């Protein structure tokens, strides 16, 4: 019955601790109570045929109940030993993937600050869940203490000297948590959080760099000062174009040819691979594209003449 109880508790408890939410320990308590009750009931029925004295029977049943608690506590200590790995995995999952579990593409529209805050808050929730064993319903303030010390203290608006001078994590024990139920002390939480931020900072920096590079690649317009200078310095040329319609016609034809070449050469996608590779690729496709455009113009010009020749022949 101890083996059955171990099998019924070990993997579910590990899964619940990995999810790390406010309902984790209440769910573990409910699971422990249900499985222990079933095991005790089965053992009680099994030993009833052995005609044991009442003291021995109570001792066996109590031993089975304590075994269930020891399984949960042992599994919690195992998970607490690799809490840093769990925190980094959760941060990476929430930061690098969207709500549909698809990899994020940093196009420049994402709020990296908000995404980072959400991912770090989820990692802090995991740390607060694994800080102590909560098989009793006694309340504690571990979550509030960690939030105050690790998240609120980092905000620029926190200027209260009393808050800054008092470090709630400068202690070796949690308030209202016995030492035997403590898995990670406040000082250890502070050290783990510092290491966690240092090891995840590179991921955030890479995302910011990718976002900036994407913005630069998609921005084809010159800076505003250059547009203003072109408008001022090119005013005379613009008035000359307005006075001579021939120039406008030539510009319109040049615009149409340029637009056709832009579409045919796919210049926007070429420059996403880099400036030099784009120039090399465009240099090989320039002449064939010009010949293709001229061929299409010749075919369209010759198309209306074909019906006239057919009528003359008839």
């Amino acid at each position: 019955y101890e083996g059955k109880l171990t099998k019924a508790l070990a993997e579910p408890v590990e899964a619940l601790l990995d999810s790390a939410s406010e309902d984790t320990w209440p769910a573990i308590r409910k699971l422990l109570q249900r499985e222990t009750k079933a095991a005790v009931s089965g053992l009680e029925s099994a030993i009833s045929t052995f005609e044991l004295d009442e003291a021995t029977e109570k001792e066996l049943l109590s031993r089975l109940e304590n075994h269930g608690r020891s399984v949960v506590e042992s599994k919690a200590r195992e998970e607490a030993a690799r809490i840093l790995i769990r925190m980094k995995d959760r941060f990476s999952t929430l930061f690098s993937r969207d709500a549909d579990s698809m990899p994020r593409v940093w196009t420049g529209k994402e709020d990296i600050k908000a995404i980072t805050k959400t991912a770090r808050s989820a990692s802090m929730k995991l740390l607060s869940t694994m800080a102590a064993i909560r098989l009793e319903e006694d309340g504690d303030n571990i979550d509030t203490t960690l939030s105050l010390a690790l998240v609120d203290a980092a905000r620029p608006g926190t200027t209260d000297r009393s808050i800054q001078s008092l470090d709630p994590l400068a202690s070796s024990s949690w308030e209202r948590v016995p030492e035997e139920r403590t898995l990670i002390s406040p000082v250890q939480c502070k050290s783990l959080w510092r290491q966690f931020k240092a090891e995840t900072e590179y991921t955030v920096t890479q995302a910011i760099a990718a976002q900036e590079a994407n913005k630069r690649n998609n921005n084809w317009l010159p800076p505003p000062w250059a547009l203003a200078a072109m408008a001022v310095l090119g005013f005379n040329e613009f008035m000359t174009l307005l006075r001579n319609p021939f120039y406008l016609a030539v510009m319109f034809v040049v615009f149409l040819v340029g637009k056709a070449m832009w579409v045919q050469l796919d210049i926007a996608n070429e420059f996403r691979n880099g400036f030099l590779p784009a120039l090399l690729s465009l240099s090989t496709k320039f002449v064939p594209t010009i010949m293709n455009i001229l061929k299409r113009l010749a075919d369209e010009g010759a198309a209306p003449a074909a019906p006239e020749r057919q009528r003359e022949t008839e």
Side-chain angles (χ1 to χ4, degrees):
Y1 277 94
E2 287 180 350
K4 290 181 180 180
L5 188 57
T6 300
K7 186 176 181 180
L9 291 176
E11 293 184 358
V13 167
E14 182 178 353
L16 288 171
L17 291 175
D18 186 52
S19 62
S21 63
E22 295 179 356
D23 300 328
T24 295
W25 282 106
I28 291 177
R29 289 196 296 265
K30 188 175 180 180
L31 173 69
L32 175 63
Q33 183 180 4
R34 183 180 71 246
E35 296 297 336
T36 303
K37 184 177 180 181
V40 168
S41 177
L43 179 61
E44 189 174 9
S45 299
I47 64 177
S48 62
T49 59
F50 289 91
E51 298 181 357
L52 299 176
D53 58 277
E54 186 177 354
T56 304
E57 185 175 344
K58 286 184 178 180
E59 181 183 355
L60 290 174
L61 297 178
S62 176
R63 175 182 168 184
L64 185 59
E65 291 179 355
N66 293 334
H67 177 75
R69 294 177 63 91
S70 66
V71 170
V72 175
E73 292 177 1
S74 176
K75 183 57 65 174
R77 295 185 189 279
E78 290 178 8
E79 293 299 314
R82 48 177 180 262
I83 182 63
L84 183 60
I85 298 175
R86 297 285 192 183
M87 290 170 63
K88 291 190 293 185
D89 289 343
R90 173 164 293 193
F91 178 85
S92 177
T93 300
L94 295 178
F95 185 81
S96 303
R97 296 182 177 273
D98 57 17
D100 298 326
S101 298
M102 298 297 293
R104 293 187 190 272
V105 179
W106 304 106
T107 61
K109 299 179 181 179
E110 298 82 10
D111 189 353
I112 294 183
K113 185 177 180 181
I115 295 173
T116 303
K117 182 179 179 181
T118 301
R120 284 179 175 171
S121 298
S123 300
M124 190 200 68
K125 176 64 68 177
L126 180 60
L127 180 61
S128 66
T129 301
M130 297 303 307
I133 298 173
R134 301 177 178 91
L135 291 181
E136 286 76 20
E137 296 185 4
D138 302 336
D140 58 66
N141 58 353
I142 295 178
D143 193 11
T144 305
T145 303
L146 289 177
S147 178
L148 178 65
L150 303 179
V151 179
D152 295 341
R155 294 178 181 175
T158 306
T159 57
D160 191 351
R161 293 182 179 178
S162 62
I163 296 178
Q164 292 179 344
S165 60
L166 181 61
D167 188 358
L169 297 182
S171 174
S172 59
S173 62
W174 297 104
E175 185 179 356
R176 292 183 292 177
V177 177
E179 184 178 355
E180 62 272 11
R181 287 164 45 194
T182 301
L183 297 176
I184 307 173
S185 66
V187 175
Q188 291 173 335
C189 285
K190 186 175 182 179
S191 176
L192 285 169
W193 187 258
R194 187 184 299 112
Q195 185 177 354
F196 163 76
K197 287 187 67 177
E199 295 184 10
T200 55
E201 195 69 30
Y202 178 75
T203 304
V204 180
T205 304
Q206 288 294 102
I208 295 175
Q211 197 176 65
E212 293 296 329
N214 204 333
K215 286 181 180 179
R216 289 193 298 268
N217 291 336
N218 293 332
N219 188 12
W220 292 91
L221 292 176
W225 63 267
L227 294 175
M230 291 168 62
V232 173
L233 298 176
F235 181 75
N236 294 332
E237 288 75 7
F238 179 70
M239 296 303 297
T240 303
L241 291 175
L242 291 180
R243 295 190 184 97
N244 195 336
F246 177 74
Y247 289 157
L248 291 177
V250 172
M251 288 187 63
F252 182 70
V253 173
V254 171
F255 170 77
L256 291 180
V257 175
K259 181 66 175 179
M261 293 186 62
W262 180 280
V263 174
Q264 292 289 330
L265 294 174
D266 197 11
I267 295 178
N269 288 331
E270 291 290 345
F271 274 93
R272 289 179 181 176
N273 300 324
F275 184 76
L276 185 58
L279 288 181
L280 294 176
S281 177
L282 292 175
S283 63
T284 59
K285 296 194 301 184
F286 182 77
V287 175
T289 302
I290 293 293
M291 299 300 295
N292 188 23
I293 293 175
L294 294 177
K295 185 177 181 300
R296 287 186 179 181
L297 292 176
D299 293 341
E300 291 179 0
E308 295 295 334
R309 293 197 191 95
Q310 187 175 1
R311 289 196 201 98
E312 293 175 359
T313 305
E314 293 174 354

